[in-house]
Amino acid sequence: GTLGGLGLALGLWRRQAALAAAREDEEEKELRQRFMAPPVSGLRELRRRRRELRSRMELLIMETQAEVCRALTALDPGASFAVDSWERKEGGGGISCVLQDGEVFEKAGVNVSVVSGLLSEEAARQMRSRGKSLKAKDGKLPFCAMGVSSVIHPKNPHVPTMHFNYRYFEIEEADGTKQWWFGGGTDLTPTYLNEEDAIHFHKTLKEACDKHDPKLYPKYKKWCDDYFYIKHRGERRGIGGIFFDDMDSPSKEEVFQFVKSCAKAVVPCYIPIVKKHCHDSFTPEEKLWQQLRRGRYVEFNLVYDRGTKFGLLTPGSRIESILMSLPLTARWEYMHTPPESSKEAEILEVLRNPKDWVH
């Protein structure tokens, strides 16, 4: 009787194990279909550590990448994303998805990176200058960083450029304690001002922030206006949105949920604007103004942008992915000044004096 009972239990256990394995395979297949490419850490590893925040963040950035790529492809069906998975010999890697020369988008990139290793001296210096007290062990600071980052440059001057980035950073100090923080934001750079679009964009981001705390949107809207400031031109890069960095309170879970809400707001804040204007007619003069504004975009990214600087200072980082944010075409004209009271002068006024779009 005992042996028979053991046999039954063993059979039951085998059946359960087979069912669990089949369920895992099914889950894996479903995840594969959901993403643009297999995750950097591997699906098995992510599942094994699925309760850890690092794994949940990696899943979130993978899902955000796929969501945005699918939404863009739906608007530009003749174009497709080149999907490029890469490895970094110092640890980790990434997935770059880039669409070029479509009907609607001149260049759209949505990148994911998950990297780890030792922080370079320059990168540590950059962080300390922001008030981080990092205690290295024998000069070494192990770190892990991951994020999703995107810049979308449309062809039509009446469709704005959009950028977003959401990231997580972890550093292990000499005594084994871990410092962690989140950063990110979403912002809009129109060539011409459309107040209705500006209100829609800001309102959608405000709703995402308000779910967590009504104090967040005004704080991060101002931070965005201050951050995307081209000092040497005395103007902002665009009409802003939200931006935050070094966010490490109230708790890891609460900040993660906030970042998730912001990432989920990307498609609804931008795609309706693209749909509305992608077939608008435009003149050669309007196209020229777009090219000149793109020049300003490049100036900000190469001179001031923290992410670009950090990427260029990180050994083994992938330059192509870091400079993906630059437009396919841009223009710099000597002493170009738009006529007073023109549509071009109107956007400049807002770039010099940011507006409150939602109150």
Side-chain angles (χ1 to χ4, degrees):
T2 313
L3 280 176
L6 269 175
L8 267 173
L10 198 59
L12 192 65
W13 177 80
R14 280 198 182 118
R15 252 199 322 277
Q16 283 172 333
L19 276 171
R23 227 182 3 253
E24 240 180 60
D25 287 345
E26 202 49 48
E27 229 178 275
E28 196 157 315
K29 214 160 80 190
E30 190 197 319
L31 279 178
R32 264 181 210 286
Q33 284 164 350
R34 241 167 56 204
F35 300 150
M36 298 300 285
V40 175
S41 301
L43 286 167
R44 291 243 148 87
E45 185 60 15
L46 283 179
R47 187 177 295 107
R48 201 172 61 78
R49 300 201 324 254
R50 65 174 164 266
R51 285 190 179 80
E52 285 180 31
L53 194 121
R54 271 168 66 164
S55 300
R56 291 163 67 208
M57 183 65 180
E58 189 170 344
L59 285 169
L60 173 66
I61 62 180
M62 293 294 298
E63 275 167 18
T64 305
Q65 180 184 50
E67 237 166 67
V68 173
C69 288
R70 289 192 184 118
L72 298 179
T73 312
L75 292 177
D76 205 343
S80 60
F81 277 92
V83 179
D84 185 12
S85 294
W86 49 274
E87 278 180 30
R88 177 176 171 269
K89 70 175 194 300
E90 292 82 356
I95 301 145
S96 298
C97 296
V98 181
L99 178 158
Q100 281 184 153
D101 252 337
E103 285 292 305
V104 175
F105 302 108
E106 186 176 287
K107 186 178 178 194
V110 193
N111 286 353
V112 153
S113 66
V114 180
V115 299
S116 55
L118 297 172
L119 210 56
S120 72
E121 259 312 305
E122 294 100 314
R125 205 173 300 128
Q126 196 189 326
M127 285 177 184
R128 287 191 180 106
S129 73
R130 300 205 321 260
K132 296 259 169 234
S133 61
L134 303 172
K135 296 181 281 294
K137 186 179 186 177
D138 311 323
K140 291 185 173 67
L141 277 166
F143 82 97
C144 142
M146 61 181 70
V148 57
S149 175
S150 171
V151 178
I152 299 154
H153 293 293
K155 281 199 164 159
N156 193 313
H158 298 294
V159 182
T161 283
M162 199 263 285
H163 156 259
F164 75 88
N165 169 291
Y166 290 100
R167 57 192 179 274
Y168 172 68
F169 221 95
E170 211 175 76
I171 288 182
E172 196 174 319
E173 295 191 86
D175 59 2
T177 56
K178 282 184 180 168
Q179 275 207 49
W180 59 268
W181 63 89
F182 288 86
T186 304
D187 62 280
L188 198 69
T189 306
T191 302
Y192 288 96
L193 185 64
N194 180 304
E195 297 223 351
E196 209 178 83
D197 298 344
I199 292 164
H200 164 80
F201 184 79
H202 277 269
K203 236 183 178 157
T204 311
L205 294 177
K206 181 183 185 297
E207 281 162 16
C209 294
D210 285 356
K211 278 184 207 161
H212 302 270
D213 183 344
K215 290 199 282 289
L216 296 177
Y217 169 78
K219 181 182 173 186
Y220 295 156
K221 190 260 183 207
K222 184 185 183 314
W223 198 340
C224 189
D225 289 334
D226 293 345
Y227 178 76
F228 291 106
Y229 182 58
I230 309 170
K231 290 188 195 74
H232 60 270
R233 297 284 190 185
E235 61 191 47
R236 272 90 200 146
R237 189 179 76 176
I239 60 157
I242 55 169
F243 177 87
F244 57 91
D245 209 353
D246 302 326
M247 196 176 181
D248 57 6
S249 66
S251 71
K252 215 183 232 188
E253 184 58 34
E254 283 167 284
V255 185
F256 173 69
Q257 291 302 335
F258 167 69
V259 168
K260 191 173 179 174
S261 295
C262 294
K264 294 288 172 207
V266 168
V267 167
C269 76
Y270 182 59
I271 296 299
I273 298 174
V274 183
K275 274 187 180 157
K276 186 173 149 191
H277 298 290
C278 62
H279 300 301
D280 288 5
S281 59
F282 58 88
T283 65
E285 291 73 30
E286 287 171 332
K287 188 68 188 169
L288 169 72
W289 178 242
Q290 181 196 46
Q291 299 295 291
L292 291 165
R293 296 312 308 164
R294 292 260 173 90
R296 296 283 204 271
Y297 204 92
V298 173
E299 287 176 29
F300 177 84
N301 281 29
L302 293 182
V303 177
Y304 301 113
D305 187 67
R306 201 182 281 169
T308 306
K309 279 181 171 173
F310 176 79
L312 297 174
L313 294 173
T314 302
S317 60
R318 194 163 185 270
I319 303 304
E320 282 301 313
S321 298
I322 294 161
L323 299 182
M324 166 216 79
S325 63
L326 303 182
L328 207 54
T329 59
R331 186 177 173 104
W332 287 266
E333 266 187 28
Y334 185 68
M335 300 293 278
H336 184 282
T337 312
E340 268 183 59
S341 309
S342 63
K343 297 286 281 174
E344 290 77 15
E346 179 188 32
I347 185 87
L348 283 181
E349 174 53 32
V350 172
L351 300 178
R352 288 172 186 149
N353 303 294
K355 270 178 77 163
D356 177 354
W357 297 102
V358 292
H359 295 103

